[in-house]
């Protein structure tokens, strides 16, 4: 099981990032006190995304994280209402999926059902 991923992000994007991940079903959780000044964490189930502050974050052009959401259509609608475009992608395994970009530019795949 993958427990967490870490994304380099600008501290100035912190609030927008927490709101963005909230649209994907994540809730903010407190990092250990020793990390609180340099990161914010969000969690869905047992999976966390650690937002690490960097003056010049590295944002891969194609590398991405993928998030399974409980209600795909409602999530895409919520993203659109918040100003995030979601580009539908090929349903390689017969399930809908789309790509969007987080505040700060990280590529995020949103899908309804994982590959079999």
């Amino acid at each position: 099981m993958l427990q967490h991923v870490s994304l380099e992000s600008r501290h100035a994007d912190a609030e927008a990032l927490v709101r963005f991940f909230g649209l994907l079903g994540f809730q903010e959780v407190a990092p250990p006190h020793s990390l609180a000044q340099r990161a914010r964490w969000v969690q869905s189930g047992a999976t966390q995304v650690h937002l690490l502050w960097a003056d010049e974050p590295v944002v891969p052009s194609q590398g991405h994280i993928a998030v399974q959401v409980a209600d795909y259509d409602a999530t895409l609608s919520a993203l659109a209402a918040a100003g995030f475009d979601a580009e539908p992608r090929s349903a390689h395994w017969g399930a809908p999926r789309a790509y969007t970009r987080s505040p700060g530019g990280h590529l995020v795949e949103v899908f309804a059902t994982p590959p079999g």
Side-chain angles (χ1 to χ4, degrees):
M1 172 182 87
L2 180 65
Q3 192 274 327
H4 76 270
V5 297
S6 296
L7 301 177
E8 290 184 6
S9 305
R10 287 185 183 9
H11 189 262
D13 293 332
E15 295 304 323
L17 282 161
V18 170
R19 282 192 303 275
F20 171 81
F21 279 103
L23 296 170
L24 300 175
F26 287 79
Q27 302 289 323
E28 187 167 14
V29 296
H33 181 69
S34 59
L35 299 175
Q37 294 299 313
R38 57 183 170 149
R40 283 180 72 179
W41 292 6
V42 294
Q43 181 169 334
S44 177
T47 303
Q48 295 180 340
V49 177
H50 296 176
L51 306 167
L52 307 178
W53 310 142
D55 291 334
E56 296 183 32
V58 174
V59 178
S61 62
Q62 293 183 351
H64 63 279
I65 64 171
V67 177
Q68 181 179 357
V69 294
D71 188 330
Y72 179 81
D73 292 328
T75 299
L76 290 190
S77 292
L79 286 167
F84 297 100
D85 294 327
E87 176 188 339
R89 305 295 291 183
S90 297
H92 295 299
W93 55 90
R97 65 191 192 93
Y99 280 164
T100 189
R101 294 238 175 226
S102 72
H106 290 92
L107 187 60
V108 178
E109 181 177 354
V110 179
F111 61 92
T113 307

